[in-house]
Amino acid sequence: MGAGPSTSIFEKEDSITGLNFVAWFFAQTQKDPNFYPLERSTITFFNVMNFKTINQRFSYQGGNEYLCRFRDELQKLFEGEKVLRAGADHLVVISLNLSVEEIALRIKLLNKAMTSYEKGLRNQIKAGIYIADGTPQQPIVMMDRASLACREVHGIFNREYAVFDEELNKKHEQKQYVLEHFDEAFEKGFFKVYYQPIYRTLNKKVCGYEALARWIDPNRGMISPLIFIEVLEKVHLIHKLDAYIIDQVCKNLRDDIDGGYAYQPISVNLSRLDFELSDIKKVVDNAVAKYNVPKEYIVLEVTESAFASDQESLGDIIHCFREDGYQVWIDDFGSGYSSFNNLQTYDFDFLKIDMNFLRNFDKTPKSKVIIASIVDLAKKLGIHTLAEGVETEDQYEYLKSIGCELIQGYYFAKPMPIEDFYNKRAELCSFETNETPAERRYYDD
Ligand code: C2E
Ligand code: CA
Ligand code: CA
């Protein structure tokens, strides 16, 4: 993504911006301990979003000019500190006396100043900050950490910077582990399906389950989907996992039917990428046929953010699923920018209200108003509603009072492995605690 030919990053000076290269600077600090007190400094790593577009639209020369203005603004804002080039569209500031707040303010001012050079393109500049703790360290490790923090805010429009901390480091390390061990985990069967019951608000009976993936690692214990889903999406392997989950869900459903137990529809989560990387309809059809389970008992949850991808076929596939008798639910409703647009464009059976509204339940009275309006709107559109993340009696009572039909959350039950159901089958899979098909038809009408 470079701005045309420039000097090698190991040389002293970059021929485009005239700045010193970071690699050269680091080499000096290693040669001579008095060159710069790196161990007491703060490294801020800058990355221009969409720099490629500048080069494409305005040629390398336009890109180079942009980089020079970027350099000018940094030198102005960080007067007296080291401004360096790291290669490509990455500039770095190494400072000794600025607090995070002072740096954050400068990042804001930088983005403001740079808008006049954007020529109509929206090129936010993102930054990652690493604060050295006084102990000598490999300079490249310090810069990697600043760059890692920077990556944390890529694609997040309302965040300009992140500061490296232990949590971020751990997350990065976990993601690395996922990347390196996915194949092994998959082959050795470390992925398990956990089931979280879904309850009918009016009668408190179980009327469905959501299948949630877990990675039970012999070395690391349970790895959360919040860690591995993102990585698997990035490396385009998510469809492999989702196909496996779908297979397991159909298998477990068949076991319940054969065993004469109460069984309920099961939701599986689909990634936006399942639609791109696989023929997801065929994957589901095949699993359903393999275990001979009724299609009405398979629910496809599609998260709202999937619809932001402008993928034309998504709507068609969803339509096919519903035409064929499957249920399609929209997940995390209200979390994105185009929530209402999606309701207008696509048809869904259920709308799952984003959990974040409930997280603010006690903090602001506004959240109740929003939840009630979503339920009301869905009713008028003929869509059923489910609230997930219900953790308290108060929340349950409120949701019941506004007519939200289904509830899922720790207040009732946490996601559980299949073995828990087998151990407590008499209790969990009886018609005392489960809704009957007749009851479901009654409530659905
Ligand atoms: P999601 O689809 O929104 O799933 C709901 C998440 O909320 C689950 O987290 C669930 O364990 C958690 N949850 C349930 N009740 C409560 C509650 O009362 N309070 C709180 N704070 N949380 C609650 P989990 O299992 O960690 O899954 C996270 C996300 O990972 C899911 O969010 C889903 O987007 C994704 N995911 C999970 N399994 C799969 C899968 O098999 N395939 C794909 N593509 N995505 C999956
Ligand atoms: Ca879900
Ligand atoms: Ca959700």
Side-chain angles (χ1 to χ4, degrees):
M1 209 209 288
S6 94
T7 27
S8 147
I9 58 161
F10 297 105
E11 281 173 39
K12 180 174 179 186
E13 209 173 275
D14 163 33
S15 61
I16 295 169
T17 61
L19 294 171
N20 287 142
F21 274 116
V22 175
W24 171 83
F25 184 84
F26 284 165
Q28 302 310 305
T29 62
Q30 302 234 286
K31 271 189 227 157
D32 172 8
N34 297 319
F35 180 75
Y36 192 88
L38 207 54
E39 70 285 354
R40 287 192 284 110
S41 68
T42 297
I43 299 184
T44 309
F45 179 97
F46 293 89
N47 187 0
V48 185
M49 299 292 99
N50 293 323
F51 190 65
K52 215 163 56 188
T53 324
I54 305 187
N55 277 336
Q56 282 166 351
R57 289 264 184 93
F58 308 110
S59 78
Y60 282 140
Q61 202 192 333
N64 291 348
E65 270 168 33
Y66 182 89
L67 277 184
C68 289
R69 299 292 83 73
F70 183 11
R71 170 207 60 200
D72 293 345
E73 293 301 332
L74 278 185
Q75 286 180 329
K76 241 191 295 174
L77 288 164
F78 290 88
E79 208 191 329
E81 313 292 351
K82 298 276 173 216
V83 178
L84 306 163
R85 183 159 185 214
D89 51 350
H90 307 149
L91 298 194
V92 167
V93 171
I94 303 185
S95 55
L96 280 175
N97 303 308
L98 295 173
S99 67
V100 168
E101 290 72 30
E102 287 166 326
I103 294 173
L105 176 67
R106 284 164 175 75
I107 297 169
K108 204 183 194 75
L109 293 172
L110 169 75
N111 268 304
K112 216 166 173 187
M114 289 308 290
T115 49
S116 53
Y117 310 116
E118 284 177 350
K119 304 177 182 169
L121 301 169
R122 298 282 297 124
N123 292 300
Q124 229 193 0
I125 296 174
K126 302 283 188 185
I129 302 172
Y130 173 72
I131 308 160
D133 62 7
T135 51
Q137 277 193 74
Q138 283 294 333
I140 194 70
V141 171
M142 298 166 78
M143 191 163 89
D144 273 353
R145 291 179 163 183
S147 133
L148 190 73
C150 184
R151 246 176 290 154
E152 196 57 18
V153 291
H154 280 196
I156 304 180
F157 89 103
N158 57 354
R159 285 187 65 193
E160 290 182 320
Y161 74 95
V163 182
F164 177 89
D165 59 15
E166 252 331 291
E167 198 182 321
L168 213 154
N169 197 26
K170 200 172 145 207
K171 208 163 120 191
H172 174 68
E173 201 270 326
Q174 280 175 318
K175 284 184 181 170
Q176 210 53 37
Y177 186 85
V178 167
L179 210 53
E180 286 160 17
H181 295 85
F182 172 74
D183 286 335
E184 183 197 353
F186 199 74
E187 274 157 29
K188 293 189 175 162
F190 296 164
F191 284 100
K192 301 280 178 221
V193 187
Y194 274 44
Y195 291 96
Q196 185 176 31
I198 296 171
Y199 293 79
R200 174 90 51 197
T201 314
L202 280 178
N203 60 15
K204 288 193 177 179
K205 281 189 172 184
V206 175
C207 61
Y209 294 95
E210 177 171 13
L212 295 157
R214 297 284 181 271
W215 173 336
I216 313 292
D217 192 88
N219 303 315
R220 304 213 157 189
M222 189 193 289
I223 303 177
S224 156
L226 296 174
I227 299 284
F228 62 76
I229 300 287
E230 194 188 324
V231 180
L232 297 183
E233 286 185 338
K234 209 168 193 173
V235 298
H236 285 189
L237 284 171
I238 185 70
H239 58 299
K240 220 175 139 183
L241 174 70
D242 283 342
Y244 174 73
I245 301 287
I246 290 162
D247 182 87
Q248 293 295 298
V249 161
C250 292
K251 180 172 179 282
N252 291 156
L253 192 55
R254 172 49 40 206
D255 285 348
D256 280 347
I257 297 172
D258 289 346
Y261 297 102
Y263 57 93
Q264 302 293 351
I266 303 178
S267 303
V268 292
N269 289 285
L270 296 186
S271 159
R272 165 184 71 83
L273 290 170
D274 291 338
F275 293 84
E276 270 174 44
L277 302 171
S278 65
D279 184 346
I280 189 65
K281 174 74 169 43
K282 206 164 166 186
V283 170
V284 177
D285 280 342
N286 287 349
V288 162
K290 178 175 167 194
Y291 296 102
N292 187 26
V293 292
K295 287 177 178 167
E296 319 80 85
Y297 280 74
I298 300 298
V299 178
L300 292 322
E301 285 192 14
V302 186
T303 154
E304 185 181 271
S305 58
F307 297 95
S309 62
D310 280 341
Q311 206 194 323
E312 278 172 30
S313 60
L314 196 109
D316 295 339
I317 301 171
I318 284 177
H319 183 75
C320 284
F321 269 123
R322 293 192 73 241
E323 282 283 289
D324 237 16
Y326 298 97
Q327 296 188 50
V328 180
W329 296 7
I330 183 162
D331 201 357
D332 305 329
F333 182 83
S335 62
Y337 312 115
S338 53
S339 309
F340 297 106
N341 202 20
N342 290 333
L343 291 186
Q344 195 169 280
T345 316
Y346 310 101
D347 291 320
F348 302 101
D349 300 281
F350 258 90
L351 177 162
K352 275 189 130 170
I353 302 167
D354 189 55
M355 213 183 288
N356 276 317
F357 296 116
L358 276 187
R359 292 292 74 79
N360 293 320
F361 191 80
D362 294 320
K363 286 184 214 140
T364 158
K366 285 184 201 165
S367 89
K368 284 185 193 162
V369 178
I370 295 172
I371 296 170
S373 321
I374 294 177
V375 170
D376 186 50
L377 171 84
K379 275 215 170 86
K380 285 178 179 144
L381 293 172
I383 309 172
H384 300 286
T385 46
L386 181 153
E388 62 180 337
V390 180
E391 292 180 356
T392 66
E393 167 93 41
D394 274 1
Q395 293 172 351
Y396 166 72
E397 288 299 340
Y398 179 72
L399 290 161
K400 189 172 158 186
S401 77
I402 59 169
C404 179
E405 297 159 79
L406 306 189
I407 300 274
Q408 181 185 349
Y410 298 165
Y411 176 60
F412 286 96
K414 289 196 168 176
M416 295 176 274
I418 193 79
E419 292 76 23
D420 282 18
F421 290 93
Y422 291 157
N423 293 338
K424 291 190 259 177
R425 242 177 171 159
E427 176 200 340
L428 293 172
C429 306
S430 75
F431 280 108
E432 295 284 297
T433 51
N434 274 251
E435 192 167 272
T436 63
E439 280 173 311
R440 175 178 9 265
R441 276 193 297 277
Y442 169 77
Y443 284 114
D444 277 354
D445 290 345

